[in-house]
Amino acid sequence: MIKKKIANAVGVNGLSRAVWRAVMLICFCLAALGTAIFSLMKGAMNIPAADVIQAAWGKASGVSGQVIWNIRLPRTLVGGFVGMNLAMAGAILQAVMRNPLADPHIIGISSGAGLAGIIILILFPQMEYLVTPAAFLGAMAAAILVYILAWKGGIRPVRIILAGVAVSAFLGAGISALMVFYSDRVHGALMWMVGGLSARSWPHLYIILPYSVIGGLMAFWYAQKLNILNLGDEVARSLGLKVEVTRLVTTAIAALLAASAVSVAGLLGFVGLIVPHAARLLVGSDYRYLLPASALMGMGTVIFCDTVARTLFAPIELPVGIIMALAGAPFFLYLLRREV
């Protein structure tokens, strides 16, 4: 009976299912690559695909080569890692909290990271190198607080959402208070609040890259345990899983991934909600496939939305957070009506 439950949870349906998942992962990879090329081509100056391909081989020269290497390529890579980290964090939290509405932004983890990051940026601007570690601590503290507030003889999805909304509002008030008291330093914080990739370059890539690699590898390492955790606490314990330890460690992984994204792109919402659901519809609930699918789809989603944000009303550039909110809010309401 337990083996049957595990098979149903991870979607094991034979060779055809494995082939389908492999095909879908290849499609996600090609889509992410395609959106990256599209991002490199489009902007205030449109660049032909041939020049982009030459630039990939280091053969581009002149103005187009400078634009690609110094402006668009680092921004595209940063956007890809931001999308990957947020999507993986959302997928992990949905398993940890057994809640399809869990998302770093909705349940307050991003707000915890944002408050800690803004404290560093506003009060200690000379210590900007501490933004990511501080954001991780803030994200972890917010996750633990939500978990404590939602616990009452167990975890229920509605309580997590309500606790997350309350914690997010509380932390948001702290961010607003800092912006009021230090209004002379508020410009950077405003962009942080909305979420955007404007002026992101190679130094930002160097900030997010190590956290993405470490967090991603740790997430893949725990994929099978997330599958077992999805079966429910009692079944997971009967299979020998240390439920609370696993939940704590995987929450820390999600907090690290979300914090690294927030420290670079600000409070970018809904990526961790939309992408894992879309990936789950196509590859199933087996986290050995769902995590890489979410990572690749998250990359493509953020890169594409950022390209739209900076070209839709060119030369005026919108923060990518606005585009994500326009797409994510209706999707969240749909899930809320379906699940609650």
Side-chain angles (χ1 to χ4, degrees):
M1 184 65 178
I2 290 176
K3 289 183 178 179
K4 185 177 180 181
K5 286 185 177 180
I6 296 175
N8 291 334
V10 300
V12 178
N13 295 318
L15 182 61
S16 60
R17 184 63 171 166
V19 171
W20 169 259
R21 286 168 168 164
V23 170
M24 292 292 20
L25 289 176
I26 293 172
C27 290
F28 292 154
C29 186
L30 293 176
L33 181 61
T35 56
I37 294 174
F38 180 70
S39 175
L40 295 176
M41 292 172 57
K42 297 298 179 180
M45 180 182 74
N46 290 329
I47 298 176
D51 289 354
V52 172
I53 294 173
Q54 286 183 349
W57 295 99
K59 297 180 180 179
S61 59
V63 176
S64 61
Q66 293 297 319
V67 169
I68 291 172
W69 278 102
N70 297 329
I71 300 175
R72 294 187 186 172
L73 181 59
R75 176 169 177 161
T76 299
L77 292 175
V78 169
F81 281 113
V82 166
M84 181 188 81
N85 290 2
L86 290 176
M88 293 180 68
I92 292 170
L93 290 174
Q94 287 166 15
V96 169
M97 299 186 174
R98 294 171 57 199
N99 187 341
L101 301 177
D103 164 81
H105 188 73
I106 293 171
I107 66 172
I109 288 181
S110 291
S111 295
L115 177 59
I118 283 184
I119 288 175
I120 297 295
L121 290 175
I122 290 182
L123 300 183
F124 309 101
Q126 72 280 6
M127 302 173 69
E128 188 175 350
Y129 59 91
L130 292 177
V131 168
T132 302
F136 167 70
L137 294 176
M140 195 64 195
I144 293 173
L145 181 58
V146 169
Y147 190 77
I148 292 173
L149 292 175
W151 181 270
K152 186 179 179 182
I155 289 291
R156 291 183 59 189
V158 174
R159 282 205 297 264
I160 290 179
I161 292 298
L162 294 177
V165 169
V167 170
S168 183
F170 178 77
L171 297 174
I175 294 174
S176 299
L178 281 173
M179 293 171 64
V180 169
F181 285 117
Y182 297 91
S183 57
D184 56 323
R185 310 176 191 177
V186 79
H187 177 71
L190 283 175
M191 294 302 296
W192 176 286
M193 290 282 290
V194 177
L197 296 171
S198 178
R200 298 303 182 265
S201 58
W202 293 111
H204 299 94
L205 178 64
Y206 302 147
I207 291 173
I208 194 174
L209 182 59
Y211 297 99
S212 301
V213 172
I214 294 171
L217 291 175
M218 291 178 67
F220 293 139
W221 180 263
Y222 273 84
Q224 185 59 31
K225 292 185 178 181
L226 289 171
N227 286 332
I228 299 174
L229 197 61
N230 254 337
L231 299 174
D233 290 2
E234 292 184 5
V235 176
R237 288 192 181 96
S238 71
L239 293 173
L241 184 70
K242 296 179 179 178
V243 172
E244 299 308 327
V245 173
T246 302
R247 186 171 277 128
L248 179 63
V249 173
T250 50
T251 299
I253 294 171
L256 177 64
L257 291 168
S260 63
V262 168
S263 66
V264 169
L267 302 180
L268 182 60
F270 295 108
V271 180
L273 176 68
I274 297 174
V275 173
H277 273 281
R280 191 176 286 108
L281 291 173
L282 294 171
V283 301
S285 298
D286 187 345
Y287 273 78
R288 294 172 298 178
Y289 299 93
L290 180 60
L291 285 175
S294 297
L296 292 170
M297 188 178 287
M299 283 183 170
T301 300
V302 172
I303 292 173
F304 178 76
C305 288
D306 181 55
T307 306
V308 172
R310 61 185 171 83
T311 57
L312 188 61
F313 298 105
I316 299 173
E317 181 176 319
L318 293 176
V320 66
I322 293 177
I323 304 298
M324 288 306 310
L326 289 174
F331 189 79
F332 173 72
L333 293 175
Y334 160 73
L335 290 176
L336 191 64
R337 289 181 62 86
R338 192 184 70 173
E339 299 291 343
V340 175

